């Protein structure tokens, strides 16, 4: 695998040609990079700043907060989603092309992307760990489904269907006593007598959308089991980063313990962005009542919380604040949410500070939703402001 600044564009050109040919065959005019719609990103400075500092010309999202300048499938999936929210097809195609070429061996419909790519000890740029990460797989598949619908590019939907078939085969297991559930990855999360799970890997809008694409799939059951997981693992109303299951029920993850922090913050984000008409909306927020009481009292989000005791330590970075904006807004705390919105870094600060990969992505998700740049319908469909 070559350095991203040097790798050939042949596979990407073939990918885009194939997408275009398939769409034309279906009778739908295909819009490729050369004829992309006006750049929607021009109206979203926070995304422009992250893309300008961390997105390479050929579509690689670089985590500059990491010393090895790595790229993860998570970063690629988030970038692809934000390009769609901005209605930027040229940028979308670059990100997709790099992901397919470098993480999925040239065909993401047949091979789930590796989670980690970077420079090895000998200075070569390549896949460093080919285990897929299921949260990224879901976001990539979802974004392809919605891009195919919104931009009338049916070939993108076919790629997504291929991904979801692989997820069902490699990353979903039937847990005794619970039913189907998504593992965090294809390998490494099944122990002798228990299974490790990550609650933040299961955004409800994505599960709803997958269920409409394939009604015979396990996604409706996974949605029900996700609600049970949140209810059973948050005794004080705070979600853990990780949990585990054995036939007797959920229990504290033996590896990560009962801590809720940088993973769990996304659980509140996804819960807040879920459409209020979704039947799990209210019970999910009721299960996750801990941050609401904390924010009402102190207007800050702790960096770490012991989910068994409800005790918090530290103050979360600005990404944590952005992540709870939808959570607050969806529970009627509009004044508090608006107040917290004013504490987030402005454009000048975002430009001046070193790139903060994770906080900046949380900022884009949380503030982007709060500012109505996008919404999710009850069936999971994306509603970007440009549409």
């Amino acid at each position: 695998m070559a350095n991203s600044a040097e790798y050939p564009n042949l596979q990407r050109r073939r990918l885009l040609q194939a997408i275009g040919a398939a769409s034309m065959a279906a009778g739908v005019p295909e819009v490729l990079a050369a004829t992309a719609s006006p750049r929607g990103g021009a109206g979203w400075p926070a995304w422009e700043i992250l893309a300008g500092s961390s997105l390479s010309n050929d579509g690689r999202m670089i985590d500059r907060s990491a010393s090895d300048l790595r790229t993860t499938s998570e970063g690629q999936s988030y970038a692809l989603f934000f390009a769609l929210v901005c209605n930027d097809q040229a940028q979308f195609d670059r990100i997709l092309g790099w992901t397919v070429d470098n993480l999925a061996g040239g065909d993401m419909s047949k091979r789930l992307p590796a989670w980690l790519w970077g420079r090895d000890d000998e200075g070569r740029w390549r896949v460093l760990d080919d285990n897929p990460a299921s949260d990224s797989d879901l976001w990539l598949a979802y974004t392809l489904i919605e891009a195919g619908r919104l931009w009338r590019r049916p070939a993108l939907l076919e790629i997504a269907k291929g991904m979801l078939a692989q997820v069902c085969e490699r990353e979903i297991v039937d847990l005794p006593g619970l039913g189907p559930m998504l593992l965090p990855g294809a390998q490494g999360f099944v122990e002798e007598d228990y299974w490790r799970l990550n609650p933040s890997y299961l955004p409800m809008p994505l599960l709803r959308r997958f269920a409409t694409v394939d009604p015979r799939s396990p996604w409706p059951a996974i949605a029900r089991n996700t609600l049970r997981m949140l209810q059973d693992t948050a005794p004080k109303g705070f979600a853990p980063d990780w949990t585990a299951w054995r036939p007797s029920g959920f229990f504290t993850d033996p590896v990560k313990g009962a801590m809720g922090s940088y993973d769990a913050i996304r659980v509140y984000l996804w819960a807040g962005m879920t459409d209020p008409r979704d039947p799990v909306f209210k019970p999910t927020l009721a299960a996750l009542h801990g941050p609401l009481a904390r924010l009402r009292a102190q207007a800050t989000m702790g960096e770490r919380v012991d989910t068994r005791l409800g005790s918090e330590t530290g103050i979360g970075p600005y990404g944590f604040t952005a992540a709870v904006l939808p959570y607050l807004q969806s529970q009627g705390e509009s004044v508090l949410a608006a107040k917290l919105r004013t504490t987030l870094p402005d454009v000048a600060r975002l430009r001046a500070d070193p790139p903060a990969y994770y906080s900046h992505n949380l900022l884009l998700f949380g503030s982007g939703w709060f500012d109505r740049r996008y919404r999710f319908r009850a069936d999971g469909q994306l509603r970007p402001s440009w549409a």
Side-chain angles (χ1 to χ4, degrees), residues 109 141 145 156-166 213:
S109 68
I145 291 169
L156 297 177
L157 173 60
E158 295 308 310
I159 299 173
K161 286 181 176 179
M163 291 191 69
L164 291 178
Q166 294 176 78
V213 171

Side-chain angles (χ1 to χ4, degrees), residues 348-372:
R349 178 180 161 191
L350 288 173
R351 285 200 177 106
D353 289 349
Y357 163 80
Y358 194 59
S359 271
H360 204 137
N361 274 290
L362 293 177
L363 171 72
L364 291 166
F365 272 117
S367 66
W369 185 95
F370 185 80
D371 297 340
R372 303 194 68 86

Side-chain angles (χ1 to χ4, degrees), residues 141-155:
Y142 175 84
T143 305
L144 289 169
I145 291 169
E146 293 305 276
R149 177 180 64 85
L150 292 163
W151 288 333
R152 300 182 180 181
R153 296 172 59 172

Side-chain angles (χ1 to χ4, degrees), residues 118-165:
R119 185 163 53 191
D120 65 18
D121 294 339
E122 298 179 3
R124 297 172 300 179
W125 294 89
R126 61 179 184 85
V127 169
L128 301 178
D129 188 337
D130 64 1
N131 197 23
S134 62
D135 62 331
S136 305
D137 298 335
L138 298 197
W139 275 106
L140 286 166
Y142 175 84
T143 305
L144 289 169
I145 291 169
E146 293 305 276
R149 177 180 64 85
L150 292 163
W151 288 333
R152 300 182 180 181
R153 296 172 59 172
L156 297 177
L157 173 60
E158 295 308 310
I159 299 173
K161 286 181 176 179
M163 291 191 69
L164 291 178

Side-chain angles (χ1 to χ4, degrees), residues 135-277:
D135 62 331
S136 305
D137 298 335
L138 298 197
W139 275 106
L140 286 166
Y142 175 84
T143 305
L144 289 169
I145 291 169
E146 293 305 276
R149 177 180 64 85
L150 292 163
W151 288 333
R152 300 182 180 181
R153 296 172 59 172
L156 297 177
L157 173 60
E158 295 308 310
I159 299 173
K161 286 181 176 179
M163 291 191 69
L164 291 178
Q166 294 176 78
V167 169
C168 288
E169 179 181 349
R170 301 184 61 196
E171 297 178 330
I172 292 177
V173 294
D174 194 2
L175 299 182
L178 181 65
M181 180 50 76
L182 182 77
L183 292 176
Q187 302 173 17
F189 303 98
V190 179
E191 303 298 335
E192 184 175 348
D193 61 344
Y194 67 90
W195 294 259
R196 300 184 64 223
L197 305 170
N198 190 312
S200 74
Y201 279 30
L202 292 151
M204 193 58 61
L206 277 59
L207 306 184
R208 297 304 190 199
R209 191 69 180 106
F210 299 152
T212 63
V213 171
D214 184 4
R216 296 173 297 175
S217 68
W219 298 111
I222 291 174
R224 293 191 298 270
N225 293 335
T226 297
L227 173 60
R228 178 179 171 183
M229 175 173 60
L230 297 178
Q231 292 173 326
D232 290 1
T233 61
K236 300 296 182 179
F238 292 94
D241 288 334
W242 290 81
T243 187
W245 172 268
R246 58 169 59 106
S248 59
F250 290 100
F251 66 101
T252 300
D253 179 57
V255 179
K256 298 292 186 178
M259 182 67 64
S261 186
Y262 285 86
D263 277 309
I265 191 64
R266 295 179 295 191
V267 176
Y268 315 118
L269 175 64
W270 312 145
M273 295 195 304
T274 300
D275 191 291
R277 295 169 296 177

Side-chain angles (χ1 to χ4, degrees), residues 67-82:
S67 59
D68 57 4
L69 301 180
R70 64 181 51 190
T71 288
T72 62
S73 58
E74 173 194 88
Q76 295 301 111
S77 68
Y78 291 171
L80 199 71
F81 178 78
F82 298 137

